[in-house]
Amino acid sequence: MQHEKILILDFGSQYTQLIARRVRELNIYSEIHPYNKIPEIDGSWKAVVLSGSPHSVREEKAPIPDLSAIKGKLPLLGVCYGAQHLVHEFGGEVLPSITREYGRANLSFVDTQSKLMKDVPTDSQVWMSHGDTIATIPFNYKVVASTNDVKVAAYEIEGEQTYALQFHPEVYHSKDGATILKNFLVGICGFSQDWTPATFVHETIADLKAKIRNDKVVLGLSGGVDSTVAAVLLHKAIGENLYCIFVDNGLLRKDEFESVLEQYKGMGLNVKGVNAKDRFYDVLAGLSDPEKKRKAIGAMFIDVFDDEANQIKDVKWLAQGTIYPDVIESISATGGPSQTIKSHHNVGGLPDYMKLQIVEPLKTLFKDEVRRIGKSMGIDGELLGRHPFPGPGLAIRILGDITKEKVRILQEVDHIFISSLKSSGLYDKVWQAGAIFLPVQSVGVMGDERTYENAVALRAVESTDGMTADWVHLPYDFLAKVSIDIINKVKGINRVVYDISSKPPATIEWE
């Protein structure tokens, strides 16, 4: 089935994937392409969005797209950098802001006649993130929204279906961002909203069947949402030709290896458990740098899979549960200019010696989308509601080098924290939670004795996609009880702190 689709041109913004996600929430299919690798503008494209960027339009080497086949011919929406580019390149003026315009702001003027701003309140909160400001606009541009500090917060071009926003409608903090995007996509562009979870499942299974045929596939199963949904999709497509491998890397949560294997017994999946703890501990010995730890784990993960794959006759493919946030924080999903934040263990391809092709059925989806896909396939809600857990496991929650004793301590701390969230009815109110082993020791008193032991930090955040996140205001009584339980029950810990950083500027994980 050929879907109506929207083209999103990526200028390097960390929010580009969020634009795609917001579009998909409206059941509209979207694709992201680098600004300098624009696909042929044929009849399959119904509209175009220009993303934000870490660059300035005033830079000598500012990203400049060829819009000759787009502007004035297709509905076009510029966001942040995109809005400034459409001013700078077509006769207006963009200047440095007197102060950096970053964070929450409120609209002070909205043109109620504008199709783009329909049903948007005059005082609507928006999210700004830019160092330049639009000083003057070309003669045929019309301002349709302002804040007290930003006169040109939104505009449209008379005689064209071209619109622009200085703020980010895709970010959660823009309260009416979804309304604005719907106004553009449905009200202006006329999308029919026919791209749904059921459609994704049907088309993905068909694509997997066509791509894999009768080949055998090996999949790394972790017990998490992503690998589970990937496994079920593949199982529906190729059945017994899917071989699931669950590796115990020694960095899982307490008793997770055994419980995960048990969990999948009734799902009809062919799963083999592999105890590779010592192999991972050996390659991690003495490593403190988080990037080196991630890369060491990723390399060993592939080595273990190579060993297991060689035991399966004629296996041709390695499947992974890679999703969008993994990709955008490692490399641009489509080879574009997005900036790297950190590498991920399952992103970046395979070494030459490993003779498997890679298949990633979820790499265009965000976490909440993966859950919706899983629900549409009838996967158990408790499993789908499980918090995200990083691929490198506890290795990136132990700051500094990894030892078996540190892993043991953190497993016990994490178990108390997560179990307490569940028993207190707080688990489902938190998007992700975990404990971090800190590379510090502090003085304490237990009984009449002085102690000098380790400290741990607890982390709980609320989010919808992992791209932005706020810390959760857990009740003080709850935190007090958890702290007491950890200090009393986990030998080696005498201090517990709670992380109240949001993303940005922090990341969800500490490494």
Side-chain angles (χ1 to χ4, degrees), residues 108-398:
S108 57
F109 161 73
V110 173
D111 183 345
T112 57
Q113 300 303 308
S114 170
K115 292 182 179 180
L116 184 68
M117 304 305 291
K118 180 184 176 183
D119 298 326
V120 177
T122 301
D123 61 349
S124 179
Q125 178 181 290
V126 297
W127 183 262
M128 297 285 187
S129 180
H130 55 100
D132 292 337
T133 196
I134 297 171
T136 59
I137 55 176
F139 75 94
N140 60 333
Y141 287 39
K142 178 183 178 182
V143 176
V144 296
S146 306
T147 70
N148 288 329
D149 296 322
V150 180
K151 180 180 179 182
V152 188
Y155 65 79
E156 58 188 46
I157 300 180
E158 296 174 337
E160 296 181 15
Q161 286 186 308
T162 300
Y163 302 81
L165 303 166
Q166 181 58 83
F167 54 89
H168 288 271
E170 71 275 21
V171 173
Y172 173 78
H173 304 294
S174 289
K175 297 300 183 183
D176 293 287
T179 298
I180 294 171
L181 289 174
K182 186 176 182 180
N183 286 343
F184 176 71
L185 295 165
V186 180
I188 294 169
C189 303
F191 278 98
S192 60
Q193 300 176 277
D194 64 350
W195 194 73
T196 63
T199 301
F200 176 87
V201 170
H202 176 76
E203 294 180 356
T204 300
I205 290 173
D207 289 344
L208 290 170
K209 285 181 177 179
K211 178 186 289 187
I212 298 169
R213 300 190 180 185
N214 293 320
D215 293 346
K216 294 179 180 178
V217 179
V218 61
L219 167 69
L221 203 56
S222 70
V225 176
D226 304 333
S227 65
T228 299
V229 174
V232 173
L233 274 169
L234 283 158
H235 184 68
K236 287 180 178 291
I238 63 173
E240 292 302 313
N241 279 340
L242 174 65
Y243 294 78
C244 298
I245 307 295
F246 179 46
V247 177
D248 186 355
N249 59 10
L251 303 163
L252 303 174
R253 286 174 160 161
K254 184 179 179 181
D255 300 328
E256 188 170 23
F257 184 60
E258 295 77 13
S259 64
V260 165
L261 289 176
E262 184 67 26
Q263 190 175 35
Y264 285 104
K265 277 185 177 179
M267 293 184 66
L269 298 175
N270 177 19
V271 184
K272 178 182 179 181
V274 180
N275 185 339
K277 290 181 183 179
D278 291 338
R279 293 179 67 178
F280 281 88
Y281 287 150
D282 287 345
V283 298
L284 286 169
L287 295 184
S288 296
D289 180 84
E291 278 296 287
K292 290 181 179 178
K293 288 194 289 186
R294 285 177 175 271
K295 291 183 185 303
I297 291 168
M300 180 52 64
F301 177 81
I302 290 174
D303 283 348
V304 171
F305 259 84
D306 191 39
D307 292 344
E308 294 302 321
N310 285 331
Q311 297 178 38
I312 304 170
K313 186 178 180 181
D314 298 327
V315 67
K316 299 279 184 70
W317 298 82
L318 171 66
Q320 295 186 146
T322 308
I323 63 173
Y324 255 169
D326 298 336
V327 175
I328 192 60
E329 290 191 343
S330 299
I331 54 174
S332 172
T334 51
S338 298
Q339 291 190 329
T340 297
I341 300 297
K342 58 189 176 185
S343 66
H344 285 263
H345 79 290
N346 56 347
V347 177
L350 300 173
D352 291 338
Y353 70 80
M354 194 171 184
K355 307 302 181 183
L356 298 180
Q357 299 178 75
I358 195 165
V359 57
E360 297 170 311
L362 308 178
K363 68 179 181 180
T364 61
L365 302 179
F366 283 87
K367 180 71 72 174
D368 58 320
E369 293 180 299
V370 175
R371 288 193 172 104
R372 288 200 295 271
I373 297 300
K375 183 178 180 180
S376 74
M377 294 191 296
I379 297 175
D380 183 76
E382 184 177 347
L383 195 155
L384 291 175
R386 186 182 180 192
H387 289 179
F389 187 65
L394 299 181
I396 59 169
R397 293 183 179 177
I398 296 174

Side-chain angles (χ1 to χ4, degrees), residues 11 42 48 84 87 92 96 120 139 150 161 173 198 206 212 271 275 316-317 329 348 406 410-411 447 454 465 483 485:
F11 292 90
D42 55 25
V48 178
Q84 294 180 355
V87 168
V120 177
F139 75 94
V150 180
Q161 286 186 308
H173 304 294
I212 298 169
V271 184
N275 185 339
K316 299 279 184 70
W317 298 82
E329 290 191 343
K406 289 180 182 179
L410 191 56
Q411 284 177 333
N454 300 293
D465 45 53
S483 175
D485 285 348

